[in-house]
Amino acid sequence: MQGFVRIVEVGPRDGLQNERQPIDVDTRVALIERLVDAGLQHIEAASFVSPRWVPQMAGSAEVMARLPPLPGVRYSALTPNLRGLEAALASGCQDVAVFGAASESFSQKNINCSIRDSLERFRSVVETARGHGVRVRGYVSCVVGCPYEGPIAPAKVAEVCLQLQEMGCQEISLGDTIGVGTPASVTAMLEACLRHLPAAQLAGHFHDTYGMAVANVAASLAMGLRTFDSSVSGLGGCPYAAGASGNVATEDLVYLLHGQGLRTGIDLDRLVAISGWISMLLQRSPASKVTRALLARSLPN
């Protein structure tokens, strides 16, 4: 297997927003700068939502303002509504994202509306963003399982993806939000989506609750996907799904991809050092098995 795989680093947003303690702007900016130095070129840096609901994302405008523009590096932000989009545009953001779900129950619990209503809300956000020349990404949560409904029909996922594509989302990230997917269920879901959308327009977003994230990435690679979301040190989780762990750790993903002969442009040793640093600041152990193994190997006997 050869070629390049693009990694979207979501730790500074999707990861940190689920940490319990407040995280200051300096720490968020330092994390992003270190990730760029390690070779990450697309980093989800902020979320323009009310700090009342997501206090860890307070100061997102300042974070975006402090990130230096660099050739080939993209900083994106989550913008769930027009107010969030306006704030993101004012900060100079050139990449934004909207998020929906393939589960009616999850949509109601997460954003207080049906799937249909959520897509209608996003339409104006996407149209406005595209009108400003801003790239738009669509997230679909619960693509294989839901904490309230159980298994999700692959056809339902494909339907939501198609609607996001038609309204103007240039890339769609398929999220196993609670990490229940296996290679078989992920393959079935991708088969349904690939009947309507090209693999180049899809990204895999796998949580590692049951330890299946890396296996699901491997299954997705076999289906033609070449873009994956990950979170340094496996930061993150899902506040609406008890026991759900973070995204696949970026270190584990890079280790897999490099072992498969694929290129990422990312320095694994630098990534491991970042994982150890942010874990120490958050007073937690790295969730990445690769980081734990490589740090242990470097310790004196």
Side-chain angles (χ1 to χ4, degrees), residues 6-14 16 28-47 63-64 67-68 70 72-78 93 95-96 137 139 229-232 250 266 271 274:
R6 174 170 156 262
I7 294 179
V8 179
E9 171 59 52
V10 300
R13 195 282 299 177
D14 194 19
L16 292 183
R28 291 165 62 189
V29 171
L31 174 60
I32 295 166
E33 290 176 339
R34 291 177 186 224
L35 289 166
V36 170
D37 286 342
L40 274 303
Q41 292 190 308
H42 186 165
I43 299 174
E44 193 174 68
S47 178
V63 169
M64 296 301 296
L67 296 175
L70 297 169
V73 177
R74 296 162 57 183
Y75 306 114
S76 61
L78 199 67
C93 192
D95 282 83
V96 300
R137 191 181 213 226
Y139 282 102
D229 301 350
S230 62
S231 178
V232 63
T250 309
I266 297 168
L271 199 57
I274 297 166

Side-chain angles (χ1 to χ4, degrees), residues 36-235:
V36 170
D37 286 342
L40 274 303
Q41 292 190 308
H42 186 165
I43 299 174
E44 193 174 68
S47 178
F48 287 91
V49 297
S50 171
R52 185 162 60 113
W53 298 111
V54 189
Q56 293 87 343
M57 290 293 102
S60 283
E62 183 181 352
V63 169
M64 296 301 296
R66 287 176 55 180
L67 296 175
L70 297 169
V73 177
R74 296 162 57 183
Y75 306 114
S76 61
L78 199 67
T79 56
N81 50 43
L82 279 172
R83 179 179 295 180
L85 175 62
E86 290 166 359
L89 293 175
S91 74
C93 192
Q94 292 298 306
D95 282 83
V96 300
V98 295
F99 60 94
S103 158
E104 287 289 351
S105 299
F106 191 86
S107 183
Q108 291 287 353
K109 293 280 188 179
N110 194 21
I111 53 178
N112 300 312
C113 66
S114 67
I115 294 174
R116 179 178 178 179
D117 288 345
S118 72
L119 293 172
E120 283 305 311
R121 288 182 189 178
F122 299 151
R123 191 174 301 279
S124 59
V125 176
V126 175
E127 289 175 354
T128 302
R130 295 292 299 272
H132 283 80
V134 170
R135 292 178 289 261
V136 184
R137 191 181 213 226
Y139 282 102
V140 184
S141 300
C142 298
V143 296
V144 290
C146 169
Y148 313 108
E149 295 182 15
I152 298 296
K156 185 64 177 179
V157 181
E159 178 186 336
V160 174
C161 289
L162 188 58
Q163 291 184 68
L164 286 170
Q165 181 202 48
E166 289 173 346
M167 74 173 65
C169 290
Q170 291 141 301
E171 182 172 82
I172 298 164
S173 176
L174 301 164
D176 180 14
T177 310
I178 57 173
V180 296
T182 64
S185 60
V186 166
T187 297
M189 179 270 296
L190 288 176
E191 286 174 344
C193 293
L194 290 169
R195 295 189 188 104
H196 305 281
L197 293 93
Q201 199 171 3
L202 299 174
H205 182 111
F206 301 112
H207 286 238
D208 203 33
T209 309
Y210 289 85
M212 290 288 103
V214 168
N216 291 335
V217 169
S220 302
L221 286 169
M223 297 294 290
L225 268 65
R226 291 297 181 270
T227 300
F228 296 94
D229 301 350
S230 62
S231 178
V232 63
S233 199
L235 298 175

